[in-house]
Amino acid sequence: MKNSWDKLIQGVRKKDIRAMARLITRVENREDGWKTAMTEIYPLTGKARVFGITGSPGAGKSTLTSEIAKELADRGHTVGIIAVDPSSPFSGGALLGDRLRMQQIFTVKEIYIRSMATRGMLGGLCQAARDVIRIMDAFGKDVILIETVGVGQDEIEIVKTADRVMVVCIPGMGDGIQAIKAGVMEIADLYVINKADKPGADEVEADIQAMLSLSSDVEGDVPPVLQTSALKKQGIQQLVSALLENPSDTQKQKVKEEIRIREEILSLMEREVFRQVRSVWENDGSLQDSVSQVMQKTSDPYTIVKQMLLNHKNR
Amino acid sequence: MNQKRKIRVLVAKPGLDGHERGAHVVAYGLRDAGFEVIYTGLRQTTEQIVNAAIQEDVDVIGLSILSGAHVSLTRKVMDELKNQKAGDIMVIVGGIVPDEDIMELKEMGVREVFTAGTPISAISGFIESAIPAD
Ligand code: B12
Ligand SMILES: Nc1nc2c(ncn2[C@@H]2O[C@H](COP(=O)(O)OP(=O)(O)O)[C@@H](O)[C@H]2O)c(=O)[nH]1
Ligand SMILES: [Mg+2]
């Protein structure tokens, strides 16, 4: 078992794409040994820059991601793309369709694309995304783009794992300010008005600028607002240059990183503690006993949890 | 589908025919049967299909072909898979395929062929039984 992980990690070091792809699968599936594998991957990481791309469905994120990746590859970068789409809450399956808009880059050898389903992981998606980013980083991808639909809390959380986040808006959705959902303001480092080949882009830009100038949420660097047409390949070079620009406020970056590390430790810990406690309770039968007690109305869930935690501590 | 591991399936259309309905029906149907389906669309070259399959680490490649060119298109995909040392990825074919060609496809290594009118449950059932559940 250990051996098969080692082989994959060796493969990643040797830039074997199948090894990277398989390692991602096994880590994403949380197969036994995944944390040890990530411990070995970790020292190989830290070189990649990670950019989040979020916005409403249909805003053109995938098309834009494809153009950005192509431009980055032209400039000599190696690129990893993570395209996240929701799993069906009913079947647990998923239709991952972002590649439809990325066909032109399937055969660019500097670019690796990985589609990822949310798998209803309630926060776990964030960790899984971080792991995939690290595997790509360890492989040697120096820019990683992560596309998510900017709707759910989970998706917003994922882009927070990025160094910089760009929010994609489009003209013709009525009031530009309304188009920008609550919560997005605090994560946006850059606004892109895509589909600028359609009428109304200037109005949206004016709306966003007005909002930015009046907002107290924005400290330090004011996020740039750019117009693109991913379809007509316009504004892509300017966008990529803006993305690659180093943020001037290094102090703010440091604070962001600190928050990120703290959140990661806490979320890993939360899962691990829960997993361990649960497996003890399930294995020694105390969970089943407790359920019976509540069924027989000799106890209640609140008391049960309190008692079980006490017992657990005294073990 | 109760197994822990998610089965990942690539659905792609090689060649030039624009009959997309079958591929759509199968892609949505497999999603609803619990698979993770990566749909890459029409007019895919052999290289595009094989690269996508490798990058996505899929368990199954499903080719949808209604152009009549299933024998030559499939052979190209099988060759490119071997060329890229990915001959272990399972390939299935769907579309308009006359009976006499089904044997030929299977001889190339195609695991199963699904022609017009196949219910989705037959496709999902086949994949589930063919992929080890580890
Ligand atoms: C609808 C249709 C069209 C529509 C397509 C609309 C669209 N966007 O899809 C239009 C009108 C555009 C069209 C055009 C043409 N068509 Co047409 N078309 C059909 C028709 C009547 C039905 C196809 C269909 O949608 N079926 C419904 C779907 C759900 O079924 P399916 O695709 O077969 O998929 C099932 C299985 O095959 C399998 N499957 C399919 N894909 C996959 C993938 C995987 C992974 C798996 C596991 C299974 C699987 O599972 C599905 C569910 O059971 C068929 C005749 C027929 N009865 O099949 C002809 C047919 C396919 N067309 C044909 C022809 C010749 C053409 C044209 C060349 C006609 C012309 N001379 O202009 C053009 C070509 C257009 C192009 N660019 O390619 C011929 C093909 C002959 C051949 N292969 O030898 C057929 C067979 C008609 C005939 N009998 O001659 N067509
Ligand atoms: N007019 C126009 N359409 C675009 C542009 N970018 C993307 N689209 C189209 O918008 C639709 C959705 O694009 P997609 O990239 O899948 O959006 P996503 O859901 O945000 O990833 C597709 O039909 C694209 O062709 C653009 O710049 N201009
Ligand atoms: Mg998309």
Side-chain angles (χ1 to χ4, degrees), chain A residues 17-18 21-22 25 29 91-97 99-100 103 106-107 111-115 117 119, chain B residues 5-6 8 28 31-32 34-41 44 48 51-52 54-57 85-86 88-89:
Chain A
I17 293 177
R18 277 207 96 185
R22 180 56 52 83
T25 304
N29 287 345
S91 72
L95 187 61
L96 308 170
R99 268 183 178 267
L100 257 180
Q103 292 178 357
F106 284 13
T107 51
I111 301 174
Y112 174 86
I113 310 171
R114 183 68 178 217
S115 309
R119 295 192 179 177
Chain B
R5 195 168 80 84
K6 282 278 167 222
R8 288 165 70 86
Y28 280 101
R31 175 199 64 184
D32 294 340
F35 297 85
E36 287 184 357
V37 181
I38 294 132
Y39 184 55
T40 56
Q44 297 288 288
Q48 281 177 315
N51 283 7
I54 288 175
Q55 294 179 9
E56 299 286 358
D57 190 30
K85 297 191 176 61
D88 56 305
I89 302 176

Side-chain angles (χ1 to χ4, degrees), chain A residues 56-64 98 101 147 194-198 228-232:
Chain A
S56 311
K61 298 178 297 297
S62 300
T63 318
L64 197 59
D98 293 317
R101 311 282 169 214
E147 175 193 337
N194 188 40
K195 307 201 186 185
D197 51 287
K198 292 190 174 182
T228 59
S229 168
L231 204 64
K232 304 217 153 110

Side-chain angles (χ1 to χ4, degrees), chain A residues 256-281:
Chain A
K256 244 170 116 174
E257 193 184 353
E258 206 183 301
I259 295 174
R260 235 155 51 189
I261 295 172
R262 186 193 314 273
E263 277 178 6
E264 180 169 7
I265 293 173
L266 286 173
S267 90
L268 275 173
M269 180 61 85
E270 187 177 319
R271 257 146 228 289
E272 194 54 28
V273 168
F274 178 73
R275 199 182 62 80
Q276 286 187 15
V277 168
R278 181 182 175 152
S279 93
V280 170
W281 289 352

Side-chain angles (χ1 to χ4, degrees), chain B residues 2-44:
Chain B
N2 286 324
Q3 65 204 62
K4 236 172 70 197
R5 195 168 80 84
K6 282 278 167 222
I7 297 179
R8 288 165 70 86
V9 184
L10 179 79
V11 174
K13 278 189 67 66
L16 298 177
D17 81 287
H19 297 96
E20 202 169 15
R21 195 173 299 144
H24 278 171
V25 169
V26 170
Y28 280 101
L30 291 180
R31 175 199 64 184
D32 294 340
F35 297 85
E36 287 184 357
V37 181
I38 294 132
Y39 184 55
T40 56
L42 293 175
R43 301 190 183 89
Q44 297 288 288

Side-chain angles (χ1 to χ4, degrees), chain A residues 14-184:
Chain A
K14 284 189 216 136
K15 300 202 187 295
D16 172 1
I17 293 177
R18 277 207 96 185
M20 164 162 64
R22 180 56 52 83
L23 183 62
I24 289 175
T25 304
R26 293 183 60 183
V27 167
E28 196 189 359
N29 287 345
R30 297 321 196 203
E31 286 182 26
D32 286 342
W34 74 272
K35 274 176 270 183
T36 316
M38 286 311 299
T39 310
E40 279 170 49
I41 287 291
Y42 195 85
L44 310 173
T45 65
K47 293 176 288 289
R49 281 194 276 182
V50 185
F51 301 129
I53 297 160
T54 190
S56 311
K61 298 178 297 297
S62 300
T63 318
L64 197 59
T65 301
S66 180
E67 292 301 325
I68 293 172
K70 205 164 11 142
E71 174 65 21
L72 284 164
D74 283 347
R75 293 188 190 191
H77 292 281
T78 58
V79 187
I81 297 174
I82 304 172
V84 182
D85 271 328
S87 297
S88 156
F90 305 106
S91 72
L95 187 61
L96 308 170
D98 293 317
R99 268 183 178 267
L100 257 180
R101 311 282 169 214
M102 301 184 185
Q103 292 178 357
Q104 291 178 30
I105 56 172
F106 284 13
T107 51
V108 177
K109 75 171 190 314
E110 294 83 6
I111 301 174
Y112 174 86
I113 310 171
R114 183 68 178 217
S115 309
M116 201 173 161
T118 54
R119 295 192 179 177
M121 282 194 276
L122 287 169
L125 176 60
C126 241
Q127 188 59 42
R130 271 192 282 256
D131 298 334
V132 177
I133 288 170
R134 286 195 180 120
I135 294 170
M136 291 183 177
D137 185 352
F139 181 90
K141 297 295 175 196
D142 64 39
V143 180
I144 293 161
L145 307 172
I146 173 159
E147 175 193 337
T148 66
V149 180
V151 285
Q153 186 60 36
D154 255 14
E155 285 90 341
I156 297 280
E157 288 298 319
I158 305 183
V159 287
K160 280 197 196 166
T161 64
D163 301 319
R164 303 189 83 191
V165 175
M166 95 194 198
V167 173
V168 183
C169 317
I170 45 172
M173 298 258 295
D175 187 350
I177 294 176
Q178 277 203 349
I180 297 182
K181 294 206 184 58
V184 157

